[in-house]
Amino acid sequence: MNVFCLDPLFPDRLVRAVRVLRVLCALWAAAALLPAHAAPRAVEVFDRPAWGALQAGLTAPAIVVFTATYCAHCPAVMAQLAQDKRRLQPSAQLIAVVMDAVPGDDDAKLLRDPHHRPVDRLFAFQGQAAALRHAVDPSWRGITPYVAFLHPGETPRWVTGPPKAQDLAAWARKR
């Protein structure tokens, strides 16, 4: 004799269990679509010493995107670089430096901005923008996006505007 037939509530329990299983599977599938990392939790200060410290502290490749809140192309560039980085160099960091924001002024707004969610670290300029740009790269005239492809101990490779496929491939090849 089948034990399950003795329990008159078995069909209801089975239906509930299947529903719970379906919900859990749906949640698992939705979680798989989320980014692999959390958005940055703080806006860090980017001043003259920060650039040198950032480069000196590298233990893995990184991409730094110098951006501005008014930049129309920057959000798409950061989203594309986040995808490319995950595909080509999963251990690398994607870092955004906002030129027209000051740390502490409206950090919550910067952190809530969906364009900054794919980045690992978020910085904002503190100090005179022209002097900071010159400290980063004397040839940079403030055009955004301005992208630095970094490898530990090497000179940055600079790209103005959206990077081309060959820029990404050259960066990813150096391991």
Side-chain angles (χ1 to χ4, degrees):
M1 181 170 216
N2 191 341
V3 174
F4 294 113
C5 293
L6 296 177
D7 185 359
L9 298 177
F10 176 73
D12 292 336
R13 289 182 181 157
L14 182 62
V15 167
R16 271 187 264 146
V18 167
R19 285 182 184 152
V20 168
L21 209 69
R22 284 183 181 164
V23 169
L24 290 173
C25 287
L27 289 172
W28 177 78
L33 297 175
L34 293 174
H37 70 282
R41 295 185 183 272
V43 177
E44 300 176 57
V45 171
F46 190 90
D47 54 12
R48 287 183 83 98
W51 179 238
L54 183 70
Q55 293 179 85
L58 280 181
T59 58
I63 303 172
V64 180
V65 180
F66 290 89
T67 182
T69 58
Y70 56 80
C71 177
H73 302 287
C74 295
V77 168
M78 284 191 285
Q80 185 62 51
L81 286 172
Q83 286 180 349
D84 293 336
K85 176 197 79 85
R86 280 193 299 273
R87 184 173 45 85
L88 298 170
Q89 283 277 10
S91 65
Q93 282 194 326
L94 178 60
I95 301 166
V97 181
V98 183
M99 297 181 349
D100 63 336
V102 177
D105 277 0
D106 202 356
D107 291 358
K109 183 178 178 184
L110 286 175
L111 293 168
R112 277 193 316 266
D113 189 332
H115 304 131
H116 299 140
R117 291 199 190 281
V119 304
D120 299 297
R121 294 177 72 185
L122 180 62
F123 288 84
F125 268 21
Q126 183 169 320
Q128 185 185 24
L132 289 172
R133 287 193 311 263
H134 188 270
V136 168
D137 180 10
S139 65
W140 179 28
R141 298 297 175 243
I143 298 170
T144 57
Y146 196 57
V147 181
F149 290 103
L150 303 175
H151 283 276
E154 293 185 16
T155 304
R157 178 184 170 119
W158 296 102
V159 175
T160 301
K164 295 179 175 68
Q166 57 263 34
D167 297 321
L168 287 158
W171 170 74
R173 270 194 300 271
K174 292 186 177 187
R175 291 186 184 195

